[in-house]
Amino acid sequence: VISGIHHLGVATDDLAATVSRYRRLLGARVDHEAVVVDQGVRAVSLAMPEGPAVELLAPTGPDTPVGRFLERRGPGMHHVGYLTDDLLGELARLEGEGAELVDATPRSGLFGLQVAFLHPGTLHGVLTELVQPERGSVA
Ligand code: CO
């Protein structure tokens, strides 16, 4: 079952400035920070009193997935992350429905999450991530 929106992913080329602005203008609180070198991303998860988190993503260099996204599209909305308690089962179901999977099998994502992405073409131009918190995860 996909039970709700877990977070919204936003791409930025200046992580510190973006964090500062989200805190000042929206009252967001920094929840987690991470650098994932092999995925080429620095990330900050922001929490609001209610609702999904905002995951700010900055590239570690131009030749990374987020770096290429910024080159093509500029800063802004990057993906929507949906929460599931059965990532493997949902991937199998979605594949059966004809969804185009970026990740055929779950992989380790940010903040101790198991994740898998669906191609934007599957959901009308929106890169979509399925998220399952690992047991004992902070997220
Ligand atoms: Co995400």
Side-chain angles (χ1 to χ4, degrees), residues 7-9 55 57 79-81 110 113 115 117 129 131:
H7 65 267
L8 305 173
E55 183 178 277
L57 304 166
H79 68 271
V80 178
L110 294 162
L113 301 168
V115 307
F117 281 89
E129 179 182 23
V131 169

Side-chain angles (χ1 to χ4, degrees), residues 103-125:
D103 300 300
T105 55
R107 61 184 175 83
S108 293
L110 294 162
F111 314 124
L113 301 168
Q114 284 291 299
V115 307
F117 281 89
L118 308 182
H119 193 276
T122 288
L123 284 158
H124 303 268

